[in-house]
Amino acid sequence: MDNLAFVSVNVTFIAISVFANIFFAFCLLCPQRGREGLKQPMKTLLESLVCCTIVFLVSVIAMKYFLFTEHLKLRLGASMLVEYTFPTSMTTSVWLNFFYYTQIVPARRALFTRVKRNIKIIIYWVLFINRVLFLFDISLHIPAIVELFNSASGNANGTYTSMNSTASASPSALFYTEMTRLVLKILYIFFGLCVVVGSSCATVRYLHRHMKSMKESGSPFSAPRLRSQMRATITGILQGILYVICFLWLIFYVFKDFFFITFDNNRNIFYTVLSLYTFGTTVNLGIGQSVFRQRAADIWLKAQKTWLKLFKIQ
């Protein structure tokens, strides 16, 4: 995919995602008066996810812009932001899904009871560990970036540094550092995959049994709490599907260089998949979170009233 095709395909998805996430941030930072705000740790999870998504999308745009300029340092800086914010955003969605699971499925074992009782502090610690791990990952990647900058001949616009040039010669310390870094990152993202799949399957299983028992007892399915749980479960499943697809894509892309597969050397297809994943996550957030839906509905109603008043005046 050339740069013109990349811009034509991605500009719409990225623009919609950026404006939508800015709206989400506005809803989180400026809650409506008279309505109950989000409780912790849900608010922190959403703020983290929205913030990382905005920074990631803006960094992708900046990185591609600096590709056509001589600002190599700025391009490398944008690349580092992309490499930090995308996996952070990706794994934050995992723990949002896990939080849904803890709020929907009742505790039946002692361990799960402790998890539900301490879910707030667990989520805070997980988010903190997330950031420390990916900052450590970036620190391991700095030597490769410095070498790339000094040579000024490599490809600096990728999230994962190509190792063809390093692997073709005798393996160096830099090669082993990069390989270790990538393996550790993939293992952590795979752990997130296990969490999101496990929590989604457990939630679906519980709701299936719960609805079956309600049907047998003749209880209605229109209860607001049940509808909210079903919506959270569906959006969690969709997010899990997006996560699996993105994880498989990252696995392929990370290790393709080691098998000398020449594909997408300018990484435009790579970033297209990431932007589509982010777009899907943004749509999922807009559908799944009532705080965003209600705020959008209120703004739409106010806009309609304003237009009607203007037409009456005219």
Side-chain angles (χ1 to χ4, degrees), residues 32 40 64 77 80 128 153 162 166 181 202 230 272-273 292:
Q32 284 182 294
Q40 297 292 0
K64 286 300 178 181
M80 299 286 277
F128 174 75
S153 60
S162 174
T166 309
R181 182 184 73 86
M230 291 180 64
T272 298
V273 174
F292 302 148

Side-chain angles (χ1 to χ4, degrees), residues 47-298:
E47 288 174 346
S48 176
L49 182 57
V50 168
C51 178
C52 288
T53 301
I54 293 173
V55 175
F56 164 72
L57 292 170
V58 173
S59 298
V60 170
I61 296 171
M63 186 176 60
K64 286 300 178 181
Y65 170 77
F66 292 131
L67 182 64
F68 301 101
T69 67
E70 296 181 356
H71 299 93
L72 183 58
K73 287 184 178 180
L74 295 177
R75 179 154 50 108
L76 293 176
S79 176
M80 299 286 277
L81 280 176
V82 167
E83 186 162 355
Y84 175 74
T85 54
F86 182 77
T88 304
S89 171
M90 193 175 177
T91 51
T92 300
S93 68
V94 169
W95 300 109
L96 180 61
N97 207 38
F98 179 76
F99 178 72
Y100 289 151
Y101 159 68
T102 61
Q103 300 306 295
I104 295 174
V105 179
R108 295 180 179 176
R109 296 182 179 180
L111 178 60
F112 191 35
T113 302
R114 287 187 178 182
V115 170
K116 291 193 68 169
R117 188 183 300 124
N118 301 287
I119 187 61
K120 186 183 296 186
I121 192 67
I122 289 173
I123 292 296
Y124 290 155
W125 271 108
V126 164
L127 293 179
F128 174 75
I129 292 171
N130 255 9
R131 277 131 187 85
V132 170
L133 285 177
F134 291 123
L135 281 175
F136 178 69
D137 173 77
I138 289 293
S139 67
L140 291 179
H141 191 44
I142 288 176
I145 292 293
V146 171
E147 182 175 290
L148 185 63
F149 177 74
N150 290 334
S151 62
S153 60
N155 184 9
N157 69 328
T159 298
Y160 298 102
T161 305
S162 174
M163 298 302 295
N164 279 340
S165 59
T166 309
S168 60
S170 59
S172 61
L174 179 60
F175 171 81
Y176 289 120
T177 300
E178 282 290 287
M179 187 65 182
T180 302
R181 182 184 73 86
L182 293 175
V183 170
L184 290 175
K185 177 180 282 187
I186 290 299
L187 286 176
Y188 184 71
I189 295 177
F190 176 74
F191 172 71
L193 176 67
C194 296
V195 172
V196 72
V197 171
S199 57
S200 296
C201 290
T203 306
V204 170
R205 185 181 179 185
Y206 163 74
L207 282 180
H208 174 71
R209 290 181 175 179
H210 182 57
M211 293 176 68
K212 187 177 180 180
S213 64
M214 290 179 66
K215 183 178 180 181
E216 292 174 352
S217 63
S219 302
F221 293 106
S222 58
R225 180 177 175 81
L226 180 60
R227 289 203 308 268
S228 176
Q229 290 178 342
M230 291 180 64
R231 186 183 296 111
T233 303
I234 292 171
T235 55
I237 292 172
L238 293 176
Q239 190 62 41
I241 293 172
L242 289 172
Y243 192 98
V244 170
I245 294 173
C246 192
F247 174 77
L248 294 176
W249 173 248
L250 291 175
I251 287 288
F252 164 74
Y253 209 91
V254 165
F255 293 105
K256 74 179 181 65
D257 289 334
F258 293 94
F259 296 99
F260 302 100
I261 300 175
T262 55
F263 170 75
D264 191 33
N265 291 327
N266 58 5
R267 286 176 168 78
N268 283 338
I269 298 177
F270 177 78
Y271 288 116
T272 298
V273 174
L274 298 194
S275 66
L276 289 175
Y277 167 85
T278 305
F279 176 78
T281 301
T282 301
V283 172
N284 221 18
L285 273 181
I287 295 173
Q289 297 299 321
S290 59
V291 63
F292 302 148
R293 297 195 313 273
Q294 291 171 358
R295 195 63 173 270
D298 290 342

